[in-house]
Amino acid sequence: MTHPIRIAPSILAANFSKLGQEVRDVVDAGADWIHLDVMDGHFVPNITFGPDVIKSLRPHTQATFDCHLMISPADPFLEAFAKAGCDIITVHAEAGPHLHRSLQTVRSLGKKAGVSLNPATPESAIEYVLDTVDLILVMTVNPGFGGQKFIGAMGEKIRRIRAMVGDRPIEIEVDGGIAPETADIVARAGANVLVAGSAIFKGDSVEAYRRAIEAIRSPAEKARA
Ligand code: DX5
Ligand code: ZN
């Protein structure tokens, strides 16, 4: 099954003092999804925002809210993120001992379930949940911060995951160091959702965002053709 290339700007790199407007601007500029990086200062060495901030952004757009939970434990908060208006809720395979239960909980809340893998975690860790996920998020940097360098070895990992997924309708998302120079590598390897923070939220206008999104989308689409 072939999903379209989707560009998912991470608001981690946006101007936090005007997040609502940033979300509207980047959607006007052609973003497909809004990627929301939730960090707890425990699972990753940084803290960002929680469900209340997401809830306050929800009225600003109808675009899909793609929520990346870098928190441990995740289970006690899944309902709050569902109620805040997230459409996809992704938990890390490393975040708790009962991954399958977390994914089932997300689905029971009526949301799409995603699973994410740190660069160090082999894809075998998620083989047993392939029929319980809608999306696999392959971290291409160590999670915690924007603006890091793409880890080259993740290209092969994406390829292996693509093969493992087979014809299941699972979207493959990549996150970290995605820019015009890395977009074709990940798309050729089999990813269809490209998250980008620092490569998109530079400049400060809808036009600048539009150019930045196109500069990632275009090589990704070409790589697949
Ligand atoms: C990192 C986050 C990413 C981050 C990507 O832990 O999950 O979504 O915002 O930032 P860039 O695109 O700057 O690498
Ligand atoms: Zn992310």
Side-chain angles (χ1 to χ4, degrees):
M1 174 156 186
T2 316
H3 293 286
I5 292 287
R6 306 184 203 276
I7 307 299
S10 163
I11 61 163
L12 184 59
N15 182 338
F16 275 30
S17 71
K18 50 168 188 169
L19 270 185
Q21 192 188 327
E22 290 277 69
V23 164
R24 291 198 305 275
D25 284 355
V26 84
V27 170
D28 284 349
D32 299 295
W33 293 357
I34 296 295
H35 186 79
L36 301 159
D37 285 308
V38 177
M39 305 187 187
D40 66 353
H42 165 73
F43 181 71
V44 288
N46 195 5
I47 298 176
T48 55
F49 49 81
D52 288 346
V53 169
I54 295 174
K55 189 175 174 189
S56 75
L57 292 175
R58 191 61 280 188
H60 289 267
T61 181
Q62 303 209 359
T64 292
F65 272 7
D66 172 34
C67 180
H68 178 191
L69 295 181
M70 287 162 274
I71 65 174
S72 173
D75 290 10
F77 303 99
L78 296 174
E79 189 176 352
F81 285 100
K83 284 194 172 142
C86 299
D87 300 291
I88 303 167
I89 300 177
T90 295
V91 296
H92 266 262
E94 308 85 0
H98 311 298
L99 174 62
H100 186 267
R101 174 181 294 149
S102 307
L103 296 166
Q104 279 183 317
T105 303
V106 171
R107 282 189 163 176
S108 74
L109 290 162
K111 306 299 178 178
K112 294 220 159 125
V115 62
S116 183
L117 291 175
N118 283 334
T121 307
E123 62 277 10
S124 57
I126 56 169
E127 219 169 346
Y128 83 109
V129 293
L130 288 181
D131 293 319
T132 320
V133 293
D134 303 290
L135 174 144
I136 297 171
L137 170 50
V138 185
M139 288 307 302
T140 43
V141 299
N142 295 298
F145 304 94
Q148 303 180 83
K149 195 173 175 298
F150 179 83
I151 301 173
M154 294 301 107
E156 274 310 308
K157 186 180 187 182
I158 297 162
R159 221 174 278 282
R160 292 194 300 272
I161 289 173
R162 176 71 262 168
M164 189 171 91
V165 160
D167 55 12
R168 294 178 182 86
I170 297 174
E171 309 224 16
I172 300 180
E173 180 173 44
V174 286
D175 187 4
I178 302 302
E181 310 78 55
T182 47
D184 67 324
I185 301 172
V186 294
R188 193 166 300 128
N192 76 287
V193 187
L194 281 66
V195 175
S198 50
I200 290 178
F201 286 100
K202 53 183 188 189
D204 197 14
S205 67
V206 175
E207 267 324 301
Y209 295 166
R210 192 188 309 281
R211 281 193 297 275
I213 289 172
E214 205 35 49
I216 294 171
R217 191 192 299 280
S218 155
E221 284 179 347
K222 274 198 200 104
R224 279 186 141 199

